[in-house]
């Protein structure tokens, strides 16, 4: 954030390797907390305030769309500062979701620089 303090980032992915990648790639620019499922992410959103969220679109229990619903209910200012990642979608509802968040979508595979640039851009976006 602009005050010189690293942004608080919540990274949500059901694959432990992806959570590790997010942590390693972003720890130099953000204070990273990870969640491995939608329920844990919702609990963290209830307990803590975050500046940026990264969320996998495809996870059990609703994935990205379910997390978006929790964000909208618990910390609506984060809606514009949530980055979604995906390796592709196959269901019609996920395709529609991806189309609705295309400007905040990072498709796998992506580089560490792509991820860092996207997070820094979102962290500098003023809340609405």
């Amino acid at each position: 954030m602009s005050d010189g303090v690293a942004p608080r980032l919540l990274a949500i992915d059901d694959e432990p390797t992806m959570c590790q990648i997010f942590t390693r790639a972003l720890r130099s620019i953000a204070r990273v907390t990870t969640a491995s499922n939608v329920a844990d992410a919702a609990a963290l959103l209830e307990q803590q305030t975050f500046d940026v969220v990264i969320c996998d679109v495809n996870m059990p229990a609703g994935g990205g769309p379910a997390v978006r619903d929790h964000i909208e209910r618990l910390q609506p200012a984060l809606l514009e500062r949530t980055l979604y990642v995906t390796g592709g979608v196959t269901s019609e509802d996920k395709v529609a979701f991806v189309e609705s968040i295309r400007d905040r979508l990072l498709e796998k595979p992506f580089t560490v620089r792509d991820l860092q640039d996207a997070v820094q851009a979102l962290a500098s976006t003023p809340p609405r």
Side-chain angles (χ1 to χ4, degrees), residues 2 12 16 20 23 29 39 46 49 57 63 95 100-101 103 109 114-115 127:
S2 59
I12 310 153
Q20 290 174 348
T23 299
I29 63 168
E46 286 182 21
T49 302
V57 171
V95 170
S100 74
I101 50 92
D103 61 327
D114 292 338
L115 181 62

Side-chain angles (χ1 to χ4, degrees), residues 5-128:
V5 176
R8 295 157 299 192
L9 182 138
L10 175 59
I12 310 153
D13 200 300
D14 61 324
E15 294 183 35
T17 301
M18 285 306 300
C19 286
Q20 290 174 348
I21 288 169
F22 291 138
T23 299
R24 289 182 183 148
L26 299 170
R27 67 181 164 206
S28 66
I29 63 168
R31 294 172 285 162
V32 181
T33 301
T34 61
S36 60
N37 57 57
V38 173
D40 288 350
L44 286 165
L45 287 162
E46 286 182 21
Q47 300 164 4
Q48 300 179 40
T49 302
F50 295 95
D51 301 304
V52 178
V53 174
I54 299 172
C55 182
D56 187 19
V57 171
N58 294 307
M59 293 186 294
V67 170
R68 182 203 49 210
D69 293 344
H70 288 296
I71 291 170
E72 187 170 32
R73 183 173 55 82
L74 299 166
Q75 295 188 42
L78 273 176
L79 287 172
E80 295 298 316
R81 290 182 278 129
T82 300
L83 176 68
Y84 297 92
V85 296
T86 188
V89 293
T90 56
S91 67
E92 285 187 34
D93 60 325
K94 294 279 176 68
V95 170
F97 175 73
V98 164
E99 287 304 316
S100 74
I101 50 92
R102 176 89 30 213
D103 61 327
R104 289 174 284 112
L105 181 69
L106 192 58
E107 295 190 59
K108 298 174 186 175
F110 50 80
T111 67
V112 169
R113 173 57 52 203
D114 292 338
L115 181 62
Q116 291 172 334
D117 289 349
V119 166
Q120 288 175 320
L122 288 176
S124 65
T125 301
R128 288 185 186 186

